[in-house]
Amino acid sequence: GAGTDSTGSTGRQGSSGAPGAQAQRLEGTVTVLAAASLTESFDRLKADFEAANPGVTVETSYGSSSTLVQQVNNGAPAQVIALAGAAAAEPLDKSLVKQTRTFATNVLEIAVPPGNPAGVTSVNDLGKPTVKVVLCADTVPCGKAAQATFRKARIVPNVVSKEVDVKATLAKVKLGEADAAVVYHSDVVAAKDAVTGVAIQVPFNTRLDYPVIRLADDAATKAFVAYVLSAQGLATVQSFGLGAP
Amino acid sequence: MSLDARVRLSRGAIDVDVSLRAEPGQVIGVLGPNGGGKTTTVLALAGILRVAEGHVRVDGQAWDDGRRALPPEQRTVGLMLADSLLFPHLTALENVAYGPRSRGVDRHRARDRAREELGRVDLLERASSRPRQLSSGQQARVALARALATDPSLLLLDEPLAALDPDTRARTRSDLATRLTAYGGITVLVTHDPLDALTLADHLVFVEDGHVTQSGTPAEVLSEPRSPYVATVVGLNLYAGEGDSRGHVTTGEGGVVVTTSPTEGRVWATIPPSAVSLHLHQPEGSPRNTWRLRVASVTVQGQSARVGLVGALPVTAEVTLESVTALGLQVGQQVWAAVKATEVRTYPR
Amino acid sequence: MSLDARVRLSRGAIDVDVSLRAEPGQVIGVLGPNGGGKTTTVLALAGILRVAEGHVRVDGQAWDDGRRALPPEQRTVGLMLADSLLFPHLTALENVAYGPRSRGVDRHRARDRAREELGRVDLLERASSRPRQLSSGQQARVALARALATDPSLLLLDEPLAALDPDTRARTRSDLATRLTAYGGITVLVTHDPLDALTLADHLVFVEDGHVTQSGTPAEVLSEPRSPYVATVVGLNLYAGEGDSRGHVTTGEGGVVVTTSPTEGRVWATIPPSAVSLHLHQPEGSPRNTWRLRVASVTVQGQSARVGLVGALPVTAEVTLESVTALGLQVGQQVWAAVKATEVRTYPR
Amino acid sequence: MRYAGRWRTRLALGVPAGLALLLLVVPLAALLVRADWARIPADLATPTVLPALRLSLTTTSCTAALCLLLGTPLAWFLARSDHPATSWLRALLTVPLVLPPVVGGVALLMAWGRKGLLGQHLAPFGVQIPFTTVAVVLAETFVAMPYYVLAVEGAMRGLDARLESVARTLGAGELRYLRTVGIPLVLPGIASGLALAWARALGEFGATITFAGNFQGRTQTLPLLVYVELERDPQVAISISIMLLAVSVLVLGVLRGRWLR
Amino acid sequence: MRYAGRWRTRLALGVPAGLALLLLVVPLAALLVRADWARIPADLATPTVLPALRLSLTTTSCTAALCLLLGTPLAWFLARSDHPATSWLRALLTVPLVLPPVVGGVALLMAWGRKGLLGQHLAPFGVQIPFTTVAVVLAETFVAMPYYVLAVEGAMRGLDARLESVARTLGAGELRYLRTVGIPLVLPGIASGLALAWARALGEFGATITFAGNFQGRTQTLPLLVYVELERDPQVAISISIMLLAVSVLVLGVLRGRWLR
Ligand SMILES: Nc1ncnc2c1ncn2[C@@H]1O[C@H](COP(=O)(O)OP(=O)(O)OP(=O)(O)O)[C@@H](O)[C@H]1O
Ligand SMILES: Nc1ncnc2c1ncn2[C@@H]1O[C@H](COP(=O)(O)OP(=O)(O)OP(=O)(O)O)[C@@H](O)[C@H]1O
Ligand SMILES: [Mg+2]
Ligand SMILES: [Mg+2]
């Protein structure tokens, strides 16, 4: 515990003492909290960044966006927080925020079990009463977005459950309990063969912005956020199914 | 209703092999030293332990034949152990009513019966107390009432009177005697009190170290004990020896006892403590048995004293308190003990 | 070391108020009917119950003064209850060594001491058995050894010998007597066995219904019982009555007893059962007391019989078995009882 | 019988006990201190709260009943068996405690779901368990019953076997003995087992959300509501949690105070 | 003493016990049946698994030790108190079971975090608890200790008070009595309490991820890894869960088999 703290503060002191620090050799630890759906992309970002900056250790912790925000609000020692959806950042204590940037976007997609037993080919098929649909809860970004989509498409789906998160939503489809779920494109990509994606037409779709929020001013942290937002960083993120900002 | 049992099983350090037989209405008194296997036998009869070999047959019905055994609730048996083992959450009344209720008697009649039984052990006014609120003797009385309330065909009592005060004990003993003669079942009564055994039992069985060392009617046992333990219980001096035709019995330790009723071969010889007289000098005259012995203990008991003597023969003498004072008896002192040959009984081993 | 205690507290249905006083080396025998408050008194002396009023002082030190009380572990007290209450997870040896260990003796010496105590109760060979593997009598002996192993200044024994067989009991009794005379502490011995009380105790206290009804040396108690219960224990017929100068005692129920040692006023009169002779017809001659009574019970006891008689006076007679046969005694029968006036003792109430 | 303890004893036992209490109570105190008490009434007036409370109370009552009816006999078998396999069975029973709740939910789906091990045989009869209130009860029972069974088993092992012997010689079969002596004597154990199980069921979240989904009035229990509200407005979530605590302390305090001693 | 039971009895007890077992075991069986056994070795070879396993075992051992050292005295105080407040205190102890784990984590943050009730006084000394292994232990202790305390308290209430009386007349103070008689006699209760608490700690997820975060090798215990893997590859998550089960069954089976009877 003490290690994180001391190296972290050293980094901060270093940045205040040397404004043009990027050119120098960076040192310290950057603690990054990221939404669980970003696990794979941030693992890659971490590895690449550490390879390029041997003096820096990036520590990542993945959890649900709301958990991460709670942690920061209650004084957990983090330097960067990356969330799935700008709305998730709402409860964040604004006094802690140094900088907010969007680094990725995501769009909704219909996930169906392999073989698509209910024969879902478009959003309109979700209006059939025989198709069991699971959605995210209305309070969760993907739930809100799904509601918006149905409103735009003017359909009332047969919703059997409103799950608290994407994972639970997808699980229902993977296990064949539901015929379709409305989730994000990246989730469908991450689920690999377990589900099949059915695209939602652009007019009905909603875009979700992924913010990366910097909570500290030290050089290493700044460098990491800059790397995420760099072309290389964005490409890494996009390789896991997310869209460009 | 008759009992025919042979209980063989091994328990802890000892192997128990006890046979019991009884006719309807009989009371078998089981006595023996601590750890001899009395409780073990009782538990086997109740079906709580199973016999490894042997059998338990009651009225011709096999309760246990070494292979299949009836569970206790299918035996018509009443059990009271030395620990009273009352159900702690039930009142005294409910404890006693438990048996009749379990055997299908309706609540009302079961309670009436329980009240009757509690009355007999003089505890009606404590009917609604819980066991922890009763003294140990009161608990024992409730347990006795509980065991008697089911009219069992085999009643097993393991030291039922041990916790009772003399007054209650005397009353319970005579009440028990009345009840036991009144009902046709068989009672097995384990006790350490010779008085209980002699007054209540028709037949005594002595169990020592897992085996029956003597059994018979109280009169037989009183007159012809066949083990040192039995002799202690009935209060006789007992010697194992070789008898010859002249009436001389040579004991294992080399002592010689003379009797007027000779038995030849391996014999038991008994001397009643009250037949032993003590003298400071070698007595002249008729007594044909005189031994020089050492006083090992003197115990006053009411108006008389029991004097333990050791030497060629260990002898217990019972003398009046005056004799003790007159002889100035003290532990360690040398005295002469004399016994008339007519007081010595012998019988084959 | 002297004991001065007055135990007042209420327990369940009764209020206990018992005073005990003893000098170093004394053994106080406490007797009384079930539920009288004996165990309660013992628990208060041990510090397990606290006195509501009164005091417990040992050697001038206040163990309890009704306000502040020393916890049991700070009293030098040894306790053995009727339930042996051995620690179930410890072997017999460890149970006995527990006291010395708790009082700071090192492991080695504590075990030696424990072995010595177990030897005295003849259980050395079961030293490594756990309580559940011992018979009830063996458990009681271990508990006794455990209580004795701490050399307490106040030794509290609640029916220590109840579970023992007669042989072990006799041995333990005499061993106890030897031990108790050897050590300077005070012993409080609760027992139901008059023999234990008479042979072991210097002083007897009878507790009935929470109160002391009589106390004194065994000889005093034996000769002058002062409550029906005490009379039962010492085996005398006791009557409360009014005596006049001519030696006539009129009992409450209207019976009259004649004595040659008159005491005037409120008196107790005693008659030894062995002094009562029974006759089919009104006896002629010397006996000045003759009553026509009904046989209520006959109990055979060894070579003699106790006959319970009811009528103008309740009388227990002790007669030989021959008399029983000769008179053809049966329950319900009318007989004459005769007692010589010289056999009747009176003393003020 | 209570004794005046000595100073050293009080300290040696009191300090660790105090620490234990500290570890458990401080976080709760913090939650209460940091809560925005003025807002709580408004937060609880949210229309979703009442149905969730009602659902939580019904489902946990059902779970408690299932524990009592089914768990007690299981505990009895475990308690009286001395077969070596018993300790493995007992270990197996603790598995639902170890399983991450979400995985537990997945396992439940695999068992009772439309394509599940048992569920696939139920589906043809039109019986569908996931997404129903029954599923909530099943999920809660799955995580809570082990606590009940283990607590009651422990209590039952403590029974004096000789009391059963005596009861049986008095004519009571095993069932009657259990009903009249065995169970009454372990009532404190049963009460504490029920308290554990009920509390665990009341807090159950992961398995429920996965197996039963999150449907207002049908499967949305209080913890699910808390989770959902955490996304939207953490203050509301904390208000609901505090109500949850109050309910549990009240129910347990009142019931145990009445039933035990 | 075991009796040949009667048919009716077997049925009346066996059927509900069997149902209970069914409810608990079928989901586990389903998990095992549906698992892709061929893949398990490869799944477990993932480099993140070993550190998580190690961390889980160390932190749960610490938790068990804390329960033993701190929880036992607390249980003792509860067991011997007959104050009316005790049943409320006991009810309070069950709160961590009821609290949705994530809220529990938030409560822990509010207590021990940099701005927390206690944490703010620790921070000046450079002591920071959130996101450290200590935080994992604290979170696990918070959720697991109540199980231990309640189980052990129940066992302690069952002790025959007269044994304490006797021990004390033999010269043993309260502490010595506890050490030499009280605790040895409730060892079965302690073992089952420890098993419950340990299992609960091993499965702990919500409070840990909130309070301690999800850092590989530092705070990522097995359930947290399962959570992460569920995102990446559910099959791996199930493989890890199965390992978790195996570990718990093995540990509990072996230890209880050895310590109890
Ligand atoms: N549960 C047990 N396990 C092992 N050994 C036992 C058990 N119970 C008793 N024993 C041993 O079996 C023997 C017989 O015990 P039992 O209780 O039958 O004796 P008992 O004749 O009733 O003695 P007592 O007069 O002291 O009651 C004893 O040596 C005892 O130590
Ligand atoms: N825990 C208790 N709660 C309430 N009443 C009790 C309790 N223990 C004993 N009593 C009652 O207190 C009275 C005295 O009991 P105590 O045990 O002192 O009697 P005792 O003289 O030892 O009798 P015994 O010879 O039968 O052992 C009895 O009437 C009993 O019913
Ligand atoms: Mg016995
Ligand atoms: Mg008593």
Side-chain angles (χ1 to χ4, degrees):
Chain A
T4 316
D5 183 49
S6 57
T7 41
S9 52
T10 313
R12 244 167 266 134
Q13 280 161 7
S15 71
S16 56
Q22 277 90 339
Q24 296 173 356
R25 184 184 148 82
L26 290 169
E27 286 202 337
T29 302
V30 182
T31 302
V32 178
L33 306 184
S37 57
L38 296 170
T39 304
E40 282 173 292
S41 38
F42 268 66
D43 274 351
R44 178 73 55 80
L45 289 174
K46 162 187 152 79
D48 293 346
F49 183 75
E50 281 178 344
N53 300 279
V56 181
T57 311
V58 175
E59 294 196 319
T60 51
S61 173
Y62 303 104
S64 85
S65 295
S66 59
T67 301
L68 304 180
V69 170
Q70 288 290 328
Q71 288 172 334
V72 173
N73 282 350
N74 284 288
Q79 276 102 48
V80 178
I81 175 167
L83 300 171
E90 284 302 320
L92 193 63
D93 184 349
K94 296 294 177 297
S95 67
L96 301 171
V97 176
K98 309 293 182 201
Q99 179 199 41
T100 304
R101 286 286 160 78
T102 299
F103 71 96
T105 59
N106 216 343
V107 290
L108 290 180
E109 192 166 305
I110 299 168
V112 297
N116 197 355
V120 176
T121 55
S122 76
V123 173
N124 298 325
D125 291 338
L126 299 186
K128 295 180 190 162
T130 49
V131 179
K132 288 176 149 190
V133 179
V134 288
L135 301 178
C136 297
D138 297 347
T139 51
V140 187
C142 70
K144 276 198 199 105
Q147 292 301 343
T149 299
F150 290 130
R151 230 177 296 118
K152 286 185 229 168
R154 293 176 203 283
I155 55 170
V156 182
N158 171 22
V159 179
V160 291
S161 177
K162 293 186 176 178
E163 303 296 334
V164 287
D165 58 21
V166 171
K167 202 171 353 221
T169 311
L170 266 181
K172 299 294 184 303
V173 173
K174 287 178 192 167
L175 290 162
E177 289 305 326
D179 299 317
V182 176
V183 295
Y184 286 108
H185 172 66
S186 65
D187 299 319
V188 176
V189 172
K192 304 201 178 89
D193 303 337
V195 297
T196 312
V198 176
I200 297 176
Q201 302 91 306
V202 179
F204 304 144
N205 217 324
T206 319
R207 204 181 75 153
L208 183 71
D209 291 334
Y210 280 50
V212 57
I213 300 167
R214 190 157 56 74
L215 304 166
D217 283 327
D218 61 288
T221 304
K222 281 180 171 163
F224 180 73
V225 174
Y227 176 70
V228 172
L229 295 168
S230 71
Q232 196 189 347
L234 293 180
T236 304
V237 171
Q238 283 160 27
S239 70
F240 290 98
L242 289 171
Chain B
M1 249 167 294
S2 66
L3 169 70
D4 172 14
R6 177 166 189 197
V7 174
R8 294 188 66 164
L9 55 87
S10 65
R11 177 90 159 154
I14 65 165
D15 291 320
V16 175
D17 182 355
V18 171
S19 298
L20 294 178
R21 218 174 291 267
E23 291 309 310
Q26 271 194 332
V27 179
I28 308 187
V30 178
L31 296 97
N34 290 140
K38 302 181 296 298
T39 300
T40 304
T41 305
V42 161
L43 293 179
L45 294 179
I48 291 163
L49 293 175
R50 296 185 48 173
V51 306
E53 267 177 83
H55 57 265
V56 177
R57 270 195 289 275
V58 173
D59 223 7
Q61 191 195 1
W63 280 7
D64 195 342
D65 58 11
R67 271 159 296 122
R68 304 187 57 238
L70 284 186
E73 69 268 27
Q74 287 177 35
R75 307 179 177 199
T76 46
V77 69
L79 175 69
M80 178 196 165
L81 291 175
D83 278 5
S84 42
L85 289 175
L86 298 179
F87 302 128
H89 61 302
L90 300 181
T91 63
L93 188 75
E94 289 162 347
N95 262 284
V96 180
Y98 190 88
R101 288 288 291 145
S102 296
R103 299 197 182 266
V105 176
D106 73 52
R107 177 186 307 270
H108 219 74
R109 292 209 294 150
R111 292 188 159 241
D112 285 347
R113 177 62 193 271
R115 255 184 231 104
E116 183 191 324
E117 292 291 343
L118 275 182
R120 291 190 182 179
V121 293
D122 221 11
L123 273 178
L124 208 45
E125 80 280 10
R126 301 306 304 264
S128 52
S129 302
R130 305 210 176 255
R132 91 186 64 218
Q133 297 168 337
L134 297 173
S135 77
S136 53
Q138 291 165 337
Q139 289 179 24
R141 277 141 70 187
V142 175
L144 185 60
R146 182 176 64 175
L148 289 165
T150 52
D151 295 317
S153 56
L154 181 62
L155 180 63
L156 305 169
L157 304 174
D158 191 354
E159 306 185 37
L161 308 179
L164 305 186
D165 70 72
D167 197 14
T168 317
R169 177 185 283 225
R171 269 185 297 118
T172 313
R173 188 191 288 129
S174 72
D175 197 52
L176 203 58
T178 321
R179 298 220 43 195
L180 296 183
T181 43
Y183 106 117
I186 292 166
T187 307
V188 174
L189 170 74
V190 175
T191 179
H192 286 313
D193 187 338
L195 192 57
D196 289 344
L198 295 173
T199 52
L200 293 172
D202 310 310
H203 197 87
L204 300 183
V205 174
F206 285 82
V207 176
E208 299 179 46
D209 211 13
H211 293 267
V212 175
T213 51
Q214 181 161 7
S215 82
T217 63
E220 281 165 19
V221 171
L222 274 176
S223 58
E224 298 194 350
R226 296 186 164 276
S227 88
Y229 178 79
V230 180
T232 316
V233 172
V234 302
L236 289 174
N237 291 296
L238 179 73
Y239 309 98
E242 289 288 332
D244 64 16
S245 55
R246 293 172 301 140
H248 285 218
V249 177
T250 315
T251 68
E253 300 89 37
V256 175
V257 181
V258 184
T259 175
T260 51
S261 65
T263 309
E264 279 182 78
R266 291 160 51 79
V267 297
W268 291 110
T270 60
I271 303 172
S274 55
V276 182
S277 60
L278 299 183
H279 310 268
L280 286 183
H281 308 286
Q282 181 155 23
E284 302 286 319
S286 67
R288 293 185 44 207
N289 292 296
T290 55
W291 305 288
R292 195 173 155 74
L293 301 170
R294 196 163 48 77
V295 176
S297 67
V298 180
T299 328
V300 177
Q301 184 175 341
Q303 302 303 315
S304 63
R306 291 180 82 85
V307 182
L309 302 157
V310 291
L313 275 182
V315 177
T316 301
E318 191 176 323
V319 295
T320 58
L321 283 182
E322 287 107 65
S323 317
V324 173
T325 336
L327 296 170
L329 282 188
Q330 279 184 337
V331 171
Q333 194 182 341
Q334 298 283 339
V335 293
W336 287 89
V339 177
K340 290 198 280 183
T342 51
E343 298 279 3
V344 179
R345 252 179 70 70
T346 59
Y347 44 93
R349 257 202 286 168
Chain C
M1 252 166 290
S2 67
L3 169 71
D4 171 14
R6 176 165 190 199
V7 174
R8 295 188 67 163
L9 54 89
S10 66
R11 178 91 158 155
I14 65 165
D15 292 319
V16 175
D17 181 354
V18 171
S19 297
L20 293 178
R21 219 175 289 267
E23 292 309 309
Q26 272 196 331
V27 179
I28 307 187
V30 179
L31 295 98
N34 291 139
K38 302 181 295 297
T39 301
T40 304
T41 306
V42 161
L43 293 180
L45 294 179
I48 291 161
L49 294 174
R50 295 184 48 173
V51 306
E53 267 176 83
H55 58 264
V56 177
R57 270 196 288 277
V58 172
D59 223 6
Q61 192 194 0
W63 281 6
D64 196 341
D65 58 10
R67 272 159 294 124
R68 303 187 60 236
L70 284 186
E73 69 268 29
Q74 288 176 33
R75 306 179 178 200
T76 46
V77 68
L79 175 70
M80 178 196 167
L81 291 175
D83 278 6
S84 43
L85 289 175
L86 298 179
F87 302 127
H89 61 301
L90 300 181
T91 63
L93 188 75
E94 289 162 347
N95 262 285
V96 180
Y98 190 89
R101 288 288 289 144
S102 296
R103 298 195 182 266
V105 176
D106 74 55
R107 179 186 305 270
H108 218 75
R109 292 208 295 152
R111 295 190 156 239
D112 284 348
R113 177 63 194 270
R115 255 183 230 106
E116 182 191 325
E117 291 292 341
L118 275 182
R120 291 191 182 177
V121 294
D122 222 11
L123 273 178
L124 209 45
E125 81 280 10
R126 301 306 303 265
S128 52
S129 302
R130 306 211 175 252
R132 91 186 62 221
Q133 298 168 337
L134 297 173
S135 77
S136 52
Q138 291 164 338
Q139 288 178 25
R141 276 142 70 188
V142 176
L144 185 59
R146 181 176 63 175
L148 289 166
T150 51
D151 295 317
S153 56
L154 181 60
L155 180 63
L156 306 169
L157 304 174
D158 191 354
E159 305 185 38
L161 309 177
L164 304 186
D165 70 71
D167 197 13
T168 316
R169 177 185 284 226
R171 268 185 298 118
T172 312
R173 189 190 289 125
S174 71
D175 197 50
L176 204 56
T178 320
R179 296 218 46 194
L180 296 183
T181 44
Y183 105 117
I186 293 166
T187 307
V188 174
L189 171 74
V190 176
T191 178
H192 287 315
D193 188 338
L195 192 56
D196 289 344
L198 295 175
T199 52
L200 292 173
D202 309 311
H203 197 86
L204 300 183
V205 175
F206 285 82
V207 177
E208 299 180 45
D209 212 14
H211 293 267
V212 175
T213 52
Q214 181 162 7
S215 80
T217 63
E220 281 164 19
V221 171
L222 274 176
S223 57
E224 299 194 351
R226 296 185 164 276
S227 91
Y229 179 81
V230 180
T232 316
V233 172
V234 302
L236 289 175
N237 291 296
L238 178 73
Y239 308 97
E242 289 288 329
D244 62 18
S245 56
R246 292 172 303 142
H248 284 220
V249 177
T250 314
T251 69
E253 299 89 37
V256 175
V257 181
V258 184
T259 175
T260 51
S261 64
T263 310
E264 279 181 77
R266 293 159 51 81
V267 297
W268 292 109
T270 59
I271 303 172
S274 56
V276 183
S277 59
L278 299 183
H279 311 268
L280 286 182
H281 307 286
Q282 181 156 21
E284 303 285 317
S286 68
R288 294 183 45 208
N289 292 296
T290 57
W291 306 287
R292 192 171 158 75
L293 302 170
R294 196 165 48 79
V295 176
S297 67
V298 181
T299 328
V300 178
Q301 184 177 338
Q303 302 303 316
S304 63
R306 290 180 84 85
V307 182
L309 302 157
V310 291
L313 274 181
V315 177
T316 301
E318 192 177 321
V319 295
T320 58
L321 284 182
E322 288 106 65
S323 316
V324 174
T325 335
L327 297 170
L329 282 190
Q330 280 184 337
V331 171
Q333 195 182 340
Q334 297 283 340
V335 294
W336 286 90
V339 176
K340 290 197 282 184
T342 51
E343 297 279 3
V344 178
R345 251 178 72 69
T346 59
Y347 45 93
R349 254 201 288 166
Chain D
M1 310 186 196
R2 210 98 308 171
Y3 308 97
R6 276 179 295 179
W7 202 78
R8 210 172 55 92
T9 308
R10 292 287 110 172
L11 216 66
L13 291 172
V15 166
L19 274 177
L21 212 55
L22 197 83
L23 285 183
L24 295 176
V25 168
V26 164
L28 302 178
L31 201 63
L32 297 184
V33 168
R34 291 291 163 89
D36 188 348
W37 289 87
R39 277 191 49 186
I40 289 189
D43 288 349
L44 297 186
T46 315
T48 48
V49 172
L50 200 63
L53 176 60
R54 198 162 346 139
L55 189 73
S56 268
L57 290 180
T58 20
T59 54
T60 52
S61 305
C62 289
T63 301
L66 277 179
C67 287
L68 204 59
L69 291 178
L70 308 184
T72 313
L74 183 57
W76 177 240
F77 279 114
L78 284 178
R80 60 172 12 217
S81 157
D82 40 19
H83 197 273
T86 313
S87 79
W88 290 102
L89 183 57
R90 209 184 291 111
L92 197 68
L93 287 186
T94 50
V95 164
L97 324 186
V98 176
L99 216 54
V102 177
V103 178
V106 170
L108 282 164
L109 276 175
M110 286 174 167
W112 301 102
R114 195 151 61 162
K115 299 184 186 165
L117 215 56
L118 291 181
Q120 64 191 353
H121 305 295
L122 297 176
F125 303 101
V127 178
Q128 236 181 61
I129 293 175
F131 308 137
T132 64
T133 307
V134 173
V136 179
V137 175
L138 277 182
E140 289 178 353
T141 307
F142 179 69
V143 295
M145 179 115 78
Y147 293 104
Y148 179 79
V149 172
L150 294 174
V152 174
E153 192 223 333
M156 283 175 163
R157 273 196 187 272
L159 281 175
D160 187 340
R162 297 175 309 164
L163 285 178
E164 183 178 355
S165 304
V166 169
R168 301 192 72 167
T169 62
L170 290 170
E174 189 174 357
L175 270 185
R176 183 172 158 77
Y177 159 73
L178 252 188
R179 193 161 47 74
T180 54
V181 180
I183 290 189
L185 287 183
V186 296
L187 225 49
I190 288 184
S192 80
L194 267 187
L196 279 183
W198 180 78
R200 180 68 187 85
L202 191 61
E204 195 343 88
F205 164 70
T208 311
I209 185 77
T210 312
F211 180 43
N214 174 36
F215 207 90
Q216 247 190 54
R218 180 140 49 90
T219 68
Q220 189 180 61
T221 57
L222 279 177
L224 268 58
L225 182 64
V226 167
Y227 192 85
V228 167
E229 290 297 338
L230 218 45
E231 303 279 345
R232 202 174 48 124
D233 185 346
Q235 263 308 325
V236 178
I238 290 183
S239 299
I240 300 174
S241 299
I242 288 176
M243 181 192 67
L244 196 59
L245 302 193
V247 166
S248 76
V249 168
L250 212 71
V251 169
L252 295 176
V254 168
L255 286 191
R256 300 199 100 207
R258 168 152 311 172
W259 280 353
L260 295 176
R261 224 144 351 105
Chain E
M1 311 185 191
R2 209 95 311 171
Y3 310 97
R6 277 177 295 176
W7 200 77
R8 210 171 56 91
T9 307
R10 292 287 109 169
L11 215 65
L13 291 173
V15 167
L19 274 176
L21 212 55
L22 198 82
L23 285 182
L24 295 177
V25 169
V26 163
L28 302 179
L31 200 65
L32 297 183
V33 167
R34 291 291 164 87
D36 188 348
W37 289 89
R39 276 192 47 184
I40 288 189
D43 288 350
L44 297 186
T46 316
T48 48
V49 172
L50 200 63
L53 175 61
R54 199 166 339 144
L55 189 71
S56 268
L57 291 180
T58 19
T59 53
T60 52
S61 305
C62 290
T63 300
L66 276 179
C67 286
L68 204 60
L69 291 179
L70 308 184
T72 313
L74 182 58
W76 177 240
F77 278 115
L78 285 178
R80 61 171 12 213
S81 157
D82 40 18
H83 197 273
T86 313
S87 78
W88 291 102
L89 183 57
R90 209 185 289 112
L92 197 68
L93 286 187
T94 50
V95 163
L97 325 185
V98 176
L99 215 54
V102 178
V103 178
V106 172
L108 283 164
L109 276 174
M110 287 174 168
W112 302 103
R114 196 153 47 169
K115 304 179 189 165
L117 217 55
L118 290 182
Q120 62 191 353
H121 304 296
L122 297 176
F125 303 101
V127 178
Q128 228 180 69
I129 293 175
F131 290 0
T132 63
T133 307
V134 173
V136 178
V137 174
L138 278 181
E140 290 177 352
T141 306
F142 179 68
V143 297
M145 179 116 78
Y147 293 103
Y148 179 79
V149 172
L150 294 174
V152 173
E153 191 223 333
M156 283 176 165
R157 274 196 186 271
L159 281 175
D160 186 341
R162 297 175 308 164
L163 286 178
E164 183 179 353
S165 304
V166 170
R168 298 192 74 166
T169 62
L170 290 170
E174 190 174 0
L175 270 186
R176 181 170 160 80
Y177 160 72
L178 253 187
R179 193 160 48 73
T180 53
V181 180
I183 291 187
L185 287 183
V186 297
L187 224 48
I190 288 185
S192 81
L194 267 187
L196 280 183
W198 182 78
R200 180 67 187 84
L202 190 62
E204 197 341 89
F205 164 72
T208 309
I209 197 165
T210 309
F211 180 42
N214 182 15
F215 298 95
Q216 251 190 52
R218 178 140 53 89
T219 69
Q220 189 178 65
T221 57
L222 281 177
L224 270 59
L225 181 63
V226 169
Y227 174 82
V228 169
E229 289 300 338
L230 220 44
E231 201 69 49
R232 193 161 24 207
D233 184 347
Q235 264 306 326
V236 178
I238 290 186
S239 300
I240 299 173
S241 299
I242 288 176
M243 181 191 69
L244 196 58
L245 302 194
V247 167
S248 76
V249 168
L250 211 73
V251 169
L252 294 177
V254 167
L255 286 191
R256 298 198 100 208
R258 168 153 312 172
W259 279 352
L260 295 176
R261 224 147 348 105

